[in-house]
Amino acid sequence: MMRALKGALAGAAIAGAAALGAAPAAAQTPPNVLIVGQIAEPKSLDPHAVTAVNDFRILMNVYEGLVRYRDGTLEVEPALAESWEVSDDGTEYTFALREGVTFHDGSSFNAEAVKFNFDRMLDENHPYHDTGPFPLAFYFDAVEEVTVDDEYTVTFTLNAPYAPFLSNLAYPTGLIVSPTAVEEHGEDFGRNPSGTGPFKFAEWESNQRVVVERNPDYWDGAPPLEAVVFRPITDANTRIAEMLSGGLDLMVEVPPDNVAQFADDPAFTVYEQAGPHVWFLILNVREGPFQDKKVRQAVNYAINKEALVENVLQGTAEIAAGPTPPAFAWAYNEDLEPYPYDPDRARQLLEEAGYDGEEVVFYVTEGGSGMLAPVAMGTAIQADLAAVGMNVTIETYEWNTFLDQVNAGLEGKADMAEMAWMTNDPDTLPYLTLRTEAMPDQGGFNSGYYSNPEVDTILEQARQSTEPEERAALYQQMQEIVHEDAPWAFVANWKQSAVARAEVQNFQLQPSFFLLLKDVAKQ
């Protein structure tokens, strides 16, 4: 395996030289090693400590959860749990675990390991709770207790019925880490990861690469690839140059301007897949001009979303009507219409609100998972708002810095910020970002401080309902209220894309937006 890793590193070095113009024809990725161009450096390889799809794309190949999404869907199927039973009242889930599975460090996967994982996130008195923070522990706040019934049986007791529970277990926050590795490395576990997945961690060289190698003992069969090298390349033009020069085998989030270029070249295959994505602007409703609903609505009318989707995003997205992506067809409110482009209406609302041209600070990111073309989008939105008399100042940040700034809340810093979410259930995004109890100081992601008691009540009812039709009606009602309140500017729903060299086989995009590389091979 060391031969494969050395080859991967050498190939990455050659590719880097080629991108700089040094003999691009010689650039070649190593045999049976997949080189993946990522959009940013991962923040951590601890699945409980991160929130970005950029990180999840690596983690889903190193770890597994009790359940997983069935290939090509968001439907749940067994993974580390072979089966499960749910109590009649919906508050107890008992899982029969897969036997004979080991973590990459050689320790055993069992019910005690499962309990360790969830207690670590949810129990402030757990001896390894301080290896956090765990920003998406919200996904499991209904869990009251995890009980080890025997070595391979574990029961989750919930404080109330919780419809998204199984779906959340399939999300990266539900991935199972090695307790032995956490105990050994403590807060440094994110640099020394150990899971049960088809690939195991080999190396992380900051701002250069994360290398994972084949797990020959994987319970579901060793993968064809010897190794995968994830290279963080934040600049889109550099990623394109690397792909064209032969330095990458696979690139995610193809810049919209380049999709046609790759589609017309037989050396490449372009993949597209719709999924539950929404791109929006968080508006700070606690202070400044966006305290007034009329100003928030004015922003929604002022932005020419059709121009953004067609010109900036080159038709790779659709105009968003509200906070719920249409990919959740069963819960989507089809009667909701996007705010039309109406600058005159925007000016009228600004006048009615008494907006006097005060500065609006706008946080923009250089890149990031699901952020599409964030600088170009931000600049176009700035121009649209200037056209109706709004004085917008852009502040631009690198992705992980941007997340730190925005997730902590906009108060005292900014009036609005770009954001994109890709989620697994219609509960996730509104519950984590639009509830009163999801403010940043309470561990949530309501960075704009929106609060509407009616929305709070609807979301609580929806997550406790076990009737799909009732849940759908509640989510549709929520969408109407949030559309009217306009705590966000609703902009776009993206159709994700990737490009691979023709030698890459058995790859497909997933509606979850994750990269699943277990079955991928190179000719």
Side-chain angles (χ1 to χ4, degrees):
M1 188 58 69
M2 288 306 298
R3 176 186 63 79
L5 297 185
K6 289 178 181 177
L9 304 186
I14 291 170
L20 295 173
Q28 184 178 357
T29 60
N32 212 32
V33 174
L34 190 76
I35 312 294
V36 179
Q38 290 264 95
I39 58 174
E41 172 85 343
K43 192 169 186 177
S44 170
L45 297 181
D46 179 349
H48 304 158
V50 295
T51 63
V53 169
N54 183 68
D55 299 15
F56 295 161
R57 289 182 176 126
I58 301 173
L59 300 176
M60 293 296 284
N61 296 285
V62 176
Y63 301 93
E64 298 170 287
L66 297 178
V67 298
R68 65 191 178 194
Y69 299 125
R70 184 175 292 113
D71 190 28
T73 76
L74 290 174
E75 299 171 5
V76 168
E77 69 176 9
L80 288 176
E82 292 185 314
S83 63
W84 57 88
E85 295 180 355
V86 185
S87 64
D88 291 341
D89 64 359
T91 63
E92 284 192 354
Y93 288 71
T94 300
F95 294 89
L97 305 181
R98 196 173 298 278
E99 298 185 21
V101 176
T102 58
F103 290 102
H104 300 150
D105 57 17
S107 60
S108 296
F109 165 76
N110 52 31
E112 290 287 357
V114 174
K115 178 176 173 58
F116 178 99
N117 272 255
F118 289 91
D119 286 354
R120 174 190 178 221
M121 280 192 285
L122 302 172
D123 181 1
E124 294 181 358
N125 296 317
H126 189 269
Y128 293 94
H129 185 74
D130 62 358
T131 58
F134 309 113
L136 293 184
F138 259 123
Y139 276 75
F140 304 111
D141 61 1
V143 176
E144 195 168 81
E145 186 178 11
V146 182
T147 305
V148 173
D149 300 325
D150 59 43
E151 186 174 7
Y152 292 106
T153 310
V154 63
T155 296
F156 289 74
T157 302
L158 312 185
N159 55 26
Y162 178 39
F165 181 60
L166 285 173
S167 179
N168 285 357
L169 284 176
Y171 202 70
T173 313
L175 294 173
I176 303 298
V177 310
S178 164
T180 300
V182 172
E183 290 165 358
E184 178 181 354
H185 297 289
E187 293 182 358
D188 293 327
F189 172 75
R191 282 274 178 170
N192 300 274
S194 179
T196 64
F199 294 93
K200 55 185 181 180
F201 175 72
E203 178 190 24
W204 180 357
E205 185 174 344
S206 295
N207 299 309
Q208 295 295 318
R209 57 186 160 260
V210 171
V211 183
V212 298
E213 62 183 16
R214 174 195 286 147
N215 175 11
D217 302 318
Y218 182 52
W219 64 266
D220 201 20
L225 292 168
E226 291 185 57
V228 181
V229 180
F230 296 92
R231 295 185 55 208
I233 307 172
T234 56
D235 179 72
N237 291 328
T238 304
R239 281 202 308 279
I240 294 296
E242 292 267 11
M243 197 74 205
L244 292 170
S245 70
L248 298 174
D249 296 307
L250 174 66
M251 180 180 72
V252 294
E253 304 198 23
V254 185
D257 288 342
N258 300 100
V259 171
Q261 175 186 9
F262 286 111
D264 293 339
D265 190 330
F268 303 98
T269 303
V270 172
Y271 300 85
E272 290 187 319
Q273 165 76 54
H277 168 279
V278 60
W279 197 104
F280 57 100
L281 302 181
I282 303 170
L283 306 179
N284 182 348
V285 306
R286 178 170 285 179
E287 58 189 1
F290 295 129
Q291 294 178 88
D292 193 317
K293 181 170 74 172
K294 291 183 177 180
V295 180
R296 303 195 299 270
Q297 291 177 335
V299 168
N300 277 279
Y301 283 115
I303 297 173
N304 188 342
K305 293 172 283 293
E306 184 174 354
L308 290 176
V309 165
E310 294 303 321
N311 300 332
V312 178
L313 301 181
Q314 300 290 305
T316 60
E318 298 177 345
I319 295 172
T324 299
F328 294 125
W330 65 274
Y332 183 67
N333 190 333
E334 294 185 355
D335 295 331
L336 211 61
E337 294 288 339
Y339 276 85
Y341 175 52
D342 190 343
D344 289 336
R345 176 63 174 149
R347 293 186 191 96
Q348 178 185 350
L349 286 168
L350 291 174
E351 183 178 352
E352 291 175 5
Y355 173 75
D356 59 1
E358 61 200 274
E359 182 186 36
V360 171
V361 176
F362 180 18
Y363 278 2
V364 168
T365 179
E366 295 173 353
S369 46
M371 294 306 302
L372 311 183
V375 174
M377 295 273 280
T379 303
I381 289 169
Q382 180 188 39
D384 284 343
L385 297 183
V388 299
M390 298 194 75
N391 174 24
V392 177
T393 300
I394 288 177
E395 294 184 12
T396 306
Y397 296 91
E398 175 273 333
W399 176 234
N400 285 318
T401 304
F402 177 84
L403 287 178
D404 288 341
Q405 290 281 348
V406 175
N407 289 346
L410 300 184
E411 186 175 14
K413 297 182 293 188
D415 299 288
M416 63 183 189
E418 297 177 337
M419 188 49 65
W421 274 70
M422 294 165 273
T423 60
N424 60 314
D425 188 276
D427 168 81
T428 305
L429 179 58
Y431 197 81
L432 293 180
T433 61
L434 292 172
R435 281 185 313 125
T436 303
E437 292 185 5
M439 301 295 180
D441 61 357
Q442 295 174 276
F445 295 87
N446 189 348
S447 301
Y449 315 102
Y450 173 66
S451 177
N452 184 319
E454 188 176 5
V455 169
D456 295 343
T457 299
I458 290 170
L459 291 175
E460 290 293 347
Q461 290 174 341
R463 65 176 6 209
Q464 293 186 26
S465 172
T466 56
E467 297 295 330
E469 290 184 1
E470 181 182 16
R471 285 189 78 203
L474 289 164
Y475 290 131
Q476 290 162 7
Q477 183 183 357
M478 175 275 297
Q479 291 164 55
E480 291 179 1
I481 298 168
V482 172
H483 180 272
E484 168 69 19
D485 283 351
W488 300 344
F490 313 105
V491 179
N493 302 119
W494 175 50
K495 294 174 287 189
Q496 63 173 319
S497 60
V499 60
R501 303 198 68 79
E503 295 81 5
V504 176
Q505 304 295 310
N506 303 328
F507 173 76
Q508 67 173 346
L509 287 170
Q510 301 290 329
S512 62
F513 293 89
F514 307 141
L515 285 182
L516 303 181
L517 303 176
K518 179 180 79 71
D519 297 322
V520 172
K522 275 176 67 175
Q523 283 187 335

